[in-house]
Amino acid sequence: MTTTPVIDGIHLHARLAALARVGAIDGGGCARLALTDADRDGRDLVVGWMRAQGLAVTVDAIGNVFAIRAGREDGPPVMTGSHIDTVRTGGRFDGNYGVLAGLEVCRALDAAGLVTRRPLCVAFFTNEEGARFQPDMMGSLVHAGGLSLQEAYAATDTSGVRLGDELERIGYRGQAAPGAIRPRAFVELHIEQGPVLEEAGYTIGAVTGVQGISWHEFVVSGTAAHAGTTPMRLRHDAGYVAAAAATYVRQLTHDMGGAQVGTVGVSELRPNLINVIANHARFTVDLRNTDEALLRQAEQRTFATIEAVAQAEGVTVERRRLARFEPVVFDATMVARVERVARAHGHDPMRLPSGAGHDAQMMARLCPTAMIFVPSVKGLSHNVAEYTAPADLDAGAAVLLDVLLELAQA
Ligand code: GLV
Ligand code: MN
Ligand code: MN
């Protein structure tokens, strides 16, 4: 006998709390940088839950994990999922929520005695965050054919450790060929990570797409010299160029307005001493816009300014691209489906683009894709204080359940 499947919110919250204990840091957050021991421990915990639920687990050669719940028919599964790696100062919901809610959908179907027509798949993708190895969304990018395994394995962290070696070391270089599991459709549930839903008073966001992302690293080489004796006209100060770049990026976002955002998130000086002019600076620039032409304009203006400042200071600057993804627009039918299901649950959904990068933007290259957002308190994310109210977590998971069910029964 079948009954109507319902999400077990208490179980979802308990699993989120259990996963948050892996790599826990002060303030209630998580540090599970991709392919560290903490990431491995988080993976082991989630894979254990997948197996305990009777799902068939496959690990591919980039470490993406797929858990399949069989349908009445074989064929491409309806897929959901996200990531369980975090930034070093991460919260407990970013990524984890979407993966664990997907497992709750399977539990709800089990409890209801329901076998769907199509198989369902709950996935988590390797290195979504890109905080340790670039580019971000790496596992889903490889899955979608946008990056070769060799290129992904060759990525190094700031200590020179290769991603391929770390994947092997933590035991997650699987046998399956990336991309072998080609989904029929992909739906990712995620916290918004920004303030829009909360400020406007919405519980469910129907995500229309993801803005373009541009990540570059700059290395400036100048001349170390005495801070007291060196006349200003004779300085080749790498630290000054890094500071000028950070100030310019902020000014640029003001000048361009609209959706343009810009961040200098890494800034390192050498020798980093109070009385020595820095001979080395390394900094990163993260630029994002929903409009590709404007994003290109932001890149060109930033690059030209940094080069001009470096030239005037008499230092050299090298630029390296770490990640570059164009804006993605999600399938209109899928977005409308999220809205319709949300309304059936009594919500008034809000359409909005995603400010953060997501695995869904890579999966959109393969199949009709959509995302569901729930509010983030004070818009905080990539912060240990990241929080979403339990009722909102439950609301999002309930919408995910019915969207997946529609797709899997069609
Ligand atoms: C990745 O999650 C990003 O948006 O930076
Ligand atoms: Mn995320
Ligand atoms: Mn994130």
mmCIF file of all heavy atoms in Angstrom, residues 82-83 85 93-96 128-129 188 190-191 193 356-359 371 381-382, ligand 2:
data_model
loop_
_atom_site.group_PDB
_atom_site.id
_atom_site.type_symbol
_atom_site.label_atom_id
_atom_site.label_comp_id
_atom_site.label_asym_id
_atom_site.label_seq_id
_atom_site.Cartn_x
_atom_site.Cartn_y
_atom_site.Cartn_z
ATOM 1 N N SER A 82 24.184 18.236 -4.708
ATOM 2 C CA SER A 82 24.929 19.479 -4.513
ATOM 3 C C SER A 82 26.338 19.070 -4.094
ATOM 4 O O SER A 82 26.884 18.137 -4.695
ATOM 5 C CB SER A 82 24.205 20.319 -3.453
ATOM 6 O OG SER A 82 24.680 21.643 -3.410
ATOM 7 N N HIS A 83 26.889 19.672 -3.065
ATOM 8 C CA HIS A 83 28.263 19.360 -2.648
ATOM 9 C C HIS A 83 28.338 19.313 -1.139
ATOM 10 O O HIS A 83 27.479 19.887 -0.449
ATOM 11 C CB HIS A 83 29.222 20.437 -3.166
ATOM 12 C CG HIS A 83 28.915 21.811 -2.616
ATOM 13 N ND1 HIS A 83 29.590 22.357 -1.553
ATOM 14 C CD2 HIS A 83 27.964 22.736 -2.947
ATOM 15 C CE1 HIS A 83 29.087 23.550 -1.276
ATOM 16 N NE2 HIS A 83 28.089 23.810 -2.106
ATOM 17 N N ASP A 85 31.730 19.641 0.265
ATOM 18 C CA ASP A 85 32.957 20.345 0.664
ATOM 19 C C ASP A 85 32.553 21.765 1.093
ATOM 20 O O ASP A 85 31.458 22.234 0.749
ATOM 21 C CB ASP A 85 33.986 20.379 -0.478
ATOM 22 C CG ASP A 85 33.565 21.240 -1.669
ATOM 23 O OD1 ASP A 85 32.403 21.104 -2.107
ATOM 24 O OD2 ASP A 85 34.372 22.043 -2.160
ATOM 25 N N PHE A 93 25.140 24.614 6.101
ATOM 26 C CA PHE A 93 24.028 24.389 5.173
ATOM 27 C C PHE A 93 24.447 24.412 3.701
ATOM 28 O O PHE A 93 23.876 23.701 2.881
ATOM 29 C CB PHE A 93 22.942 25.447 5.406
ATOM 30 C CG PHE A 93 22.406 25.439 6.811
ATOM 31 C CD1 PHE A 93 22.833 26.366 7.749
ATOM 32 C CD2 PHE A 93 21.494 24.473 7.208
ATOM 33 C CE1 PHE A 93 22.359 26.344 9.051
ATOM 34 C CE2 PHE A 93 21.012 24.442 8.517
ATOM 35 C CZ PHE A 93 21.445 25.379 9.435
ATOM 36 N N ASP A 94 25.411 25.263 3.371
ATOM 37 C CA ASP A 94 25.859 25.441 1.985
ATOM 38 C C ASP A 94 26.211 24.081 1.369
ATOM 39 O O ASP A 94 27.182 23.446 1.806
ATOM 40 C CB ASP A 94 27.073 26.394 2.000
ATOM 41 C CG ASP A 94 27.671 26.645 0.624
ATOM 42 O OD1 ASP A 94 27.183 26.090 -0.364
ATOM 43 O OD2 ASP A 94 28.657 27.417 0.569
ATOM 44 N N GLY A 95 25.445 23.640 0.393
ATOM 45 C CA GLY A 95 25.703 22.370 -0.269
ATOM 46 C C GLY A 95 25.118 21.187 0.471
ATOM 47 O O GLY A 95 24.293 20.420 -0.062
ATOM 48 N N ASN A 96 25.486 21.054 1.752
ATOM 49 C CA ASN A 96 25.057 19.901 2.561
ATOM 50 C C ASN A 96 23.541 19.745 2.551
ATOM 51 O O ASN A 96 23.015 18.627 2.489
ATOM 52 C CB ASN A 96 25.529 20.080 4.006
ATOM 53 C CG ASN A 96 27.012 20.346 4.090
ATOM 54 O OD1 ASN A 96 27.794 19.682 3.445
ATOM 55 N ND2 ASN A 96 27.395 21.340 4.859
ATOM 56 N N GLU A 128 33.206 21.668 -5.153
ATOM 57 C CA GLU A 128 32.337 22.729 -5.670
ATOM 58 C C GLU A 128 32.894 24.094 -5.301
ATOM 59 O O GLU A 128 32.783 25.056 -6.052
ATOM 60 C CB GLU A 128 30.911 22.581 -5.107
ATOM 61 C CG GLU A 128 29.901 23.525 -5.746
ATOM 62 C CD GLU A 128 29.816 24.897 -5.130
ATOM 63 O OE1 GLU A 128 30.392 25.119 -4.028
ATOM 64 O OE2 GLU A 128 29.199 25.784 -5.728
ATOM 65 N N GLU A 129 33.492 24.171 -4.095
ATOM 66 C CA GLU A 129 33.844 25.498 -3.570
ATOM 67 C C GLU A 129 35.009 26.144 -4.305
ATOM 68 O O GLU A 129 35.048 27.363 -4.446
ATOM 69 C CB GLU A 129 34.147 25.414 -2.072
ATOM 70 C CG GLU A 129 32.938 25.054 -1.210
ATOM 71 C CD GLU A 129 31.921 26.193 -1.138
ATOM 72 O OE1 GLU A 129 32.081 27.210 -1.824
ATOM 73 O OE2 GLU A 129 30.947 26.048 -0.381
ATOM 74 N N GLU A 188 18.580 21.218 -8.074
ATOM 75 C CA GLU A 188 19.432 21.431 -6.892
ATOM 76 C C GLU A 188 18.723 22.342 -5.906
ATOM 77 O O GLU A 188 18.318 23.451 -6.251
ATOM 78 C CB GLU A 188 20.782 22.040 -7.310
ATOM 79 C CG GLU A 188 21.728 22.261 -6.122
ATOM 80 C CD GLU A 188 23.160 22.662 -6.516
ATOM 81 O OE1 GLU A 188 23.446 22.752 -7.734
ATOM 82 O OE2 GLU A 188 23.972 22.892 -5.607
ATOM 83 N N HIS A 190 19.145 24.539 -2.512
ATOM 84 C CA HIS A 190 20.291 25.204 -1.879
ATOM 85 C C HIS A 190 19.781 26.382 -1.061
ATOM 86 O O HIS A 190 18.734 26.943 -1.364
ATOM 87 C CB HIS A 190 21.250 25.698 -2.978
ATOM 88 C CG HIS A 190 22.682 25.831 -2.547
ATOM 89 N ND1 HIS A 190 23.125 26.873 -1.769
ATOM 90 C CD2 HIS A 190 23.765 25.052 -2.792
ATOM 91 C CE1 HIS A 190 24.436 26.722 -1.567
ATOM 92 N NE2 HIS A 190 24.852 25.627 -2.162
ATOM 93 N N ILE A 191 20.538 26.758 -0.053
ATOM 94 C CA ILE A 191 20.235 28.019 0.635
ATOM 95 C C ILE A 191 20.606 29.165 -0.306
ATOM 96 O O ILE A 191 21.517 29.021 -1.124
ATOM 97 C CB ILE A 191 21.012 28.129 1.967
ATOM 98 C CG1 ILE A 191 22.532 27.993 1.735
ATOM 99 C CG2 ILE A 191 20.499 27.092 2.968
ATOM 100 C CD1 ILE A 191 23.378 28.410 2.912
ATOM 101 N N GLN A 193 22.106 32.049 0.261
ATOM 102 C CA GLN A 193 23.436 32.606 0.562
ATOM 103 C C GLN A 193 23.499 34.119 0.370
ATOM 104 O O GLN A 193 24.589 34.692 0.326
ATOM 105 C CB GLN A 193 24.542 31.951 -0.283
ATOM 106 C CG GLN A 193 24.539 30.435 -0.232
ATOM 107 C CD GLN A 193 25.687 29.820 -0.993
ATOM 108 O OE1 GLN A 193 25.554 29.470 -2.146
ATOM 109 N NE2 GLN A 193 26.826 29.674 -0.360
ATOM 110 N N ALA A 356 25.675 33.066 -6.229
ATOM 111 C CA ALA A 356 26.756 32.103 -5.990
ATOM 112 C C ALA A 356 26.846 31.120 -7.148
ATOM 113 O O ALA A 356 25.874 30.921 -7.880
ATOM 114 C CB ALA A 356 26.501 31.340 -4.693
ATOM 115 N N GLY A 357 28.002 30.501 -7.285
ATOM 116 C CA GLY A 357 28.161 29.430 -8.261
ATOM 117 C C GLY A 357 27.576 28.141 -7.720
ATOM 118 O O GLY A 357 27.524 27.938 -6.503
ATOM 119 N N HIS A 358 27.104 27.278 -8.597
ATOM 120 C CA HIS A 358 26.491 26.017 -8.165
ATOM 121 C C HIS A 358 26.753 24.922 -9.196
ATOM 122 O O HIS A 358 26.874 25.191 -10.389
ATOM 123 C CB HIS A 358 24.975 26.174 -8.006
ATOM 124 C CG HIS A 358 24.590 27.110 -6.906
ATOM 125 N ND1 HIS A 358 24.797 26.811 -5.581
ATOM 126 C CD2 HIS A 358 24.043 28.347 -6.933
ATOM 127 C CE1 HIS A 358 24.376 27.823 -4.843
ATOM 128 N NE2 HIS A 358 23.922 28.769 -5.633
ATOM 129 N N ASP A 359 26.740 23.669 -8.711
ATOM 130 C CA ASP A 359 26.888 22.536 -9.627
ATOM 131 C C ASP A 359 25.790 22.535 -10.688
ATOM 132 O O ASP A 359 26.006 22.068 -11.808
ATOM 133 C CB ASP A 359 26.881 21.227 -8.833
ATOM 134 C CG ASP A 359 28.092 21.137 -7.912
ATOM 135 O OD1 ASP A 359 29.227 21.287 -8.424
ATOM 136 O OD2 ASP A 359 27.914 20.965 -6.698
ATOM 137 N N MET A 371 16.870 25.189 -9.958
ATOM 138 C CA MET A 371 17.274 25.250 -8.550
ATOM 139 C C MET A 371 16.143 25.818 -7.714
ATOM 140 O O MET A 371 15.365 26.648 -8.184
ATOM 141 C CB MET A 371 18.507 26.145 -8.358
ATOM 142 C CG MET A 371 19.790 25.577 -8.921
ATOM 143 S SD MET A 371 21.223 26.563 -8.406
ATOM 144 C CE MET A 371 21.384 26.067 -6.684
ATOM 145 N N SER A 381 26.564 33.765 4.307
ATOM 146 C CA SER A 381 27.067 32.448 3.919
ATOM 147 C C SER A 381 28.571 32.553 3.749
ATOM 148 O O SER A 381 29.113 33.650 3.753
ATOM 149 C CB SER A 381 26.393 31.978 2.641
ATOM 150 O OG SER A 381 26.767 30.653 2.355
ATOM 151 N N HIS A 382 29.244 31.415 3.594
ATOM 152 C CA HIS A 382 30.710 31.381 3.665
ATOM 153 C C HIS A 382 31.116 32.081 4.961
ATOM 154 O O HIS A 382 32.054 32.883 5.005
ATOM 155 C CB HIS A 382 31.364 32.022 2.423
ATOM 156 C CG HIS A 382 31.217 31.163 1.191
ATOM 157 N ND1 HIS A 382 31.786 31.459 -0.021
ATOM 158 C CD2 HIS A 382 30.560 29.990 1.006
ATOM 159 C CE1 HIS A 382 31.498 30.509 -0.904
ATOM 160 N NE2 HIS A 382 30.741 29.613 -0.305
HETATM 161 MN MN MN B 2 27.098 25.746 -2.337
#
